[in-house]
Amino acid sequence: MASSPSRFRRRCGGVRIAVLGTALFVAACAPAVRPPAFAPREEVPIAGLPTTQAGWPQPEWWKRYGDAQLDRIVDIAMRGSPDLEQAEARYRTATRAVDSARADLNPQVRGLLSGTHGYSDVAVKGDVPGAAGSAQSFQLNPGKSWSNSGAAGALATWDLDIWGKQKDAVSAAVGQARAAEAERASAATSLQYNVVNTYYDWQAQQARLQVARHAADSSAQYRELVELRVHAGLDDPTSLDQADGQLAQQRRAVAQLEGAASLDLVQLAALAGVSPKDLGTLTPSPLPTPDTTLPADARLGLLARRPDITAARWQIEASSKNIDQTRKAYYPDVSLTGLAAFLRTYPDLGSGTRTDLKLANIGPSIQLPIFSGGRLRAQFESAQAQLDTAVAQYDGAVVQAAGQIAQSVTTLQMLDDQRVQVDRQYDASAAQRTKAADRRSKGLIDDRTWLNADMQLDQQRDARLQLTSQMLSANLSLIHALGGGYYADDAPALPAGNTGKDSPR
């Protein structure tokens, strides 16, 4: 009997060795992490950008135009946009997922409290083997009874997270939350750009509308003169038809511009999430001078400031942590478990009998994924594929951003070249009108020649306004393509991708 404790210790030691060996064997089956199949882009050629330090545009970049009316509309849009509300809801959902993942690192205690009231009526009937006659059967009727019982207990569990699997889950959730935060910023910058661009398109329509109405008045005066000359027999009647057509064309231009301006107001209200009357009465103002020169600090590094690219980088980070988490699913889970319970029973009310039971235990618990039918492998490979997808999406976002920037830069340069010729045409028309006015004052020409020169100058005014509007829109597009003032200096590092074939898994 003295050797029993030693045999028990040897058996327990053998069990521990077997458990440890099984855990090490299962952990050794965890697959190796391979690099992503696609190499994340660190650089991409962009036409027209010098190579200096990044730092433009500034936050709230639209305030540099000094338009209080525009600032008010942007503020209204930022408060009531449905797109921003959706992005904000997605961000809140992602942050709650982080809180949930972090909560799994903490101990948990669950309580139980129950009470029952029972009734029993027992009747026992049977036969006695080997007994003769009526002695073969018997019947017991202990009678009816009532009982009460109550139980209270608490179960405490704590996942020790020895391998850091749950911490990886927290990091993955944080990556998703940061990506959602960047997506919220992307929605905000897109909204700001669309509001400012639509607002200045409305301002351009108002400026062009003023020129078009003046041209329509001049065309109407020209028609009256032609009509008088036709009635006097000085001109051919066909000249009146030409004057009618010219007047109709000018009035059609006025109607088109009025309709375009109304559509801009409707679009501006839709972007702000309000009705057009909530925008108030907008006052036309001169268009700001477009900035056709890139700042000295514009370069490729500005791409990292785009919120969509920042979101893509955080998606890569979250996917990388998901791989770590699924790989560590091969390791055993170690946790502490504690149980405390109390049970009291009154089996027969009125008899004075009572039964009490007290129970408590605490100790470690190990769970091993011995056989999963390929589930762990499938989850791991799925996480690897998600990383490849995230890298590919990041590369696509970088290439698309580079294309947008290059297109905006090229458009600005092209429009700037056109502006030189448009200015020359305007100057020539202005000089012609000045000479016509001088000759008119001397009685050398009639009003028709002067009105023609005035309408030609209106055409050049309209051409300059159109070009200014296009240049301003291209400038705004470049600001939006460069992130619209968004800046994140804590973006995670990119993983090293494969330059050739996939590494063996």
Side-chain angles (χ1 to χ4, degrees):
M1 296 298 293
S3 61
S4 295
S6 62
R7 286 200 303 269
F8 177 75
R9 285 193 295 270
R10 285 197 298 271
R11 290 177 182 175
C12 292
V15 171
R16 286 194 294 267
I17 292 174
V19 171
L20 180 60
T22 302
L24 294 176
F25 173 76
V26 173
C29 295
V33 178
R34 64 168 175 81
F38 308 99
R41 289 178 176 265
E42 289 286 1
E43 293 185 359
V44 65
I46 304 179
L49 291 186
T51 56
T52 54
Q53 185 62 34
W56 177 85
Q58 296 296 327
E60 297 186 339
W61 50 269
W62 62 91
K63 290 188 176 181
R64 67 176 182 164
Y65 297 116
D67 191 331
Q69 187 171 245
L70 172 62
D71 298 342
R72 179 178 61 84
I73 295 175
V74 173
D75 290 341
I76 293 175
M78 294 296 290
R79 292 196 303 266
S81 171
D83 291 339
L84 281 186
E85 291 177 354
Q86 294 177 17
E88 180 67 28
R90 289 193 295 269
Y91 173 67
R92 289 197 300 267
T93 300
T95 54
R96 297 292 82 77
V98 173
D99 296 338
S100 178
R102 284 175 176 163
D104 289 338
L105 289 169
N106 302 325
Q108 301 183 49
V109 179
R110 301 182 64 182
L112 170 66
L113 182 63
S114 67
T116 60
H117 180 64
Y119 166 77
S120 63
D121 186 0
V122 180
V124 180
K125 298 180 180 180
D127 295 329
V128 179
S134 59
Q136 290 181 346
S137 59
F138 68 92
Q139 180 174 352
L140 299 177
N141 293 308
K144 303 177 181 179
S145 64
W146 297 86
S147 64
N148 285 340
S149 63
L155 174 65
T157 59
W158 185 17
D159 188 347
L160 300 181
D161 195 30
I162 294 178
W163 318 108
K165 179 173 64 175
Q166 195 55 41
K167 291 184 178 66
D168 290 334
V170 173
S171 298
V174 170
Q176 294 289 351
R178 296 303 300 272
E181 181 182 16
E183 290 171 355
R184 179 182 62 176
S186 180
T189 56
S190 295
L191 176 64
Q192 293 160 2
Y193 160 71
N194 287 320
V195 168
V196 176
N197 192 45
T198 304
Y199 173 79
Y200 279 121
D201 187 75
W202 179 83
Q203 291 285 12
Q205 304 297 349
Q206 293 299 313
R208 292 184 62 199
L209 188 59
Q210 183 178 1
V211 174
R213 286 170 177 165
H214 180 267
D217 291 340
S218 298
S219 183
Q221 295 177 29
Y222 183 87
R223 185 203 175 277
E224 290 177 2
L225 292 176
V226 172
E227 184 180 19
L228 291 175
R229 292 180 63 86
V230 169
H231 289 168
L234 299 176
D235 286 339
D236 188 271
T238 57
S239 60
L240 182 60
D241 297 333
Q242 294 175 356
D244 287 336
Q246 184 179 29
L247 178 59
Q249 183 179 2
Q250 294 295 339
R251 289 176 175 174
R252 175 173 174 266
V254 171
Q256 287 179 335
L257 292 172
E258 288 176 343
S262 298
L263 288 176
D264 281 339
L265 288 179
V266 171
Q267 183 177 359
L268 203 57
L271 289 170
V274 297
S275 64
K277 65 179 182 180
D278 292 332
L279 295 176
T281 301
L282 301 185
T283 303
S285 59
L287 291 175
T289 302
D291 186 6
T292 59
T293 59
L294 287 174
D297 55 0
R299 61 167 302 227
L300 176 61
L302 288 170
L303 286 179
R305 298 185 59 175
R306 283 176 59 115
D308 57 340
I309 293 180
T310 301
R313 292 183 71 165
W314 278 110
Q315 289 289 355
I316 292 177
E317 178 71 7
S319 299
S320 299
K321 294 302 180 180
N322 280 332
I323 291 178
D324 296 337
Q325 182 186 5
T326 55
R327 186 175 184 273
K328 291 173 183 177
Y330 285 84
Y331 302 164
D333 291 332
V334 181
S335 60
L336 289 178
T337 304
L339 173 65
F342 175 76
L343 174 66
R344 170 167 291 180
T345 302
Y346 296 89
D348 188 5
L349 293 179
S351 64
T353 59
R354 186 183 73 184
T355 301
D356 291 341
L357 174 63
K358 299 177 181 179
L359 177 65
N361 61 58
I362 186 173
S365 173
I366 300 178
Q367 299 183 28
L368 303 176
I370 297 176
F371 179 74
S372 64
R375 293 177 179 84
L376 295 181
R377 168 66 69 170
Q379 293 172 1
F380 178 77
E381 295 296 334
S382 176
Q384 291 274 191
Q386 290 176 2
L387 176 60
D388 293 340
T389 301
V391 172
Q393 290 175 345
Y394 169 81
D395 289 345
V398 170
V399 172
Q400 182 181 7
Q404 291 175 352
I405 294 174
Q407 183 178 3
S408 298
V409 171
T410 304
T411 301
L412 273 176
Q413 293 172 347
M414 177 188 66
L415 293 175
D416 194 36
D417 293 338
Q418 293 180 16
R419 180 169 61 176
V420 176
Q421 304 304 323
V422 171
D423 288 343
R424 289 177 179 175
Q425 290 178 333
Y426 176 81
D427 292 339
S429 296
Q432 183 179 359
R433 180 183 180 277
T434 301
K435 293 176 182 178
D438 181 62
R439 297 180 65 187
R440 176 195 177 197
S441 64
K442 296 177 180 180
L444 299 177
I445 59 174
D446 61 18
D447 288 347
R448 291 179 303 160
T449 305
W450 180 83
L451 287 172
N452 268 327
D454 189 56
M455 287 186 288
Q456 289 178 5
L457 183 60
D458 283 338
Q459 290 179 2
Q460 297 307 317
R461 287 195 184 101
D462 185 70
R464 291 184 72 181
L465 286 172
Q466 289 187 60
L467 184 63
T468 301
S469 177
Q470 292 172 4
M471 294 180 67
L472 182 58
S473 179
N475 185 253
L476 296 176
S477 178
L478 178 60
I479 291 175
H480 178 56
L482 291 174
Y486 172 81
Y487 183 66
D489 57 358
D490 57 350
L494 294 173
N498 280 343
T499 57
K501 296 182 179 179
D502 291 352
S503 60
R505 303 179 184 182

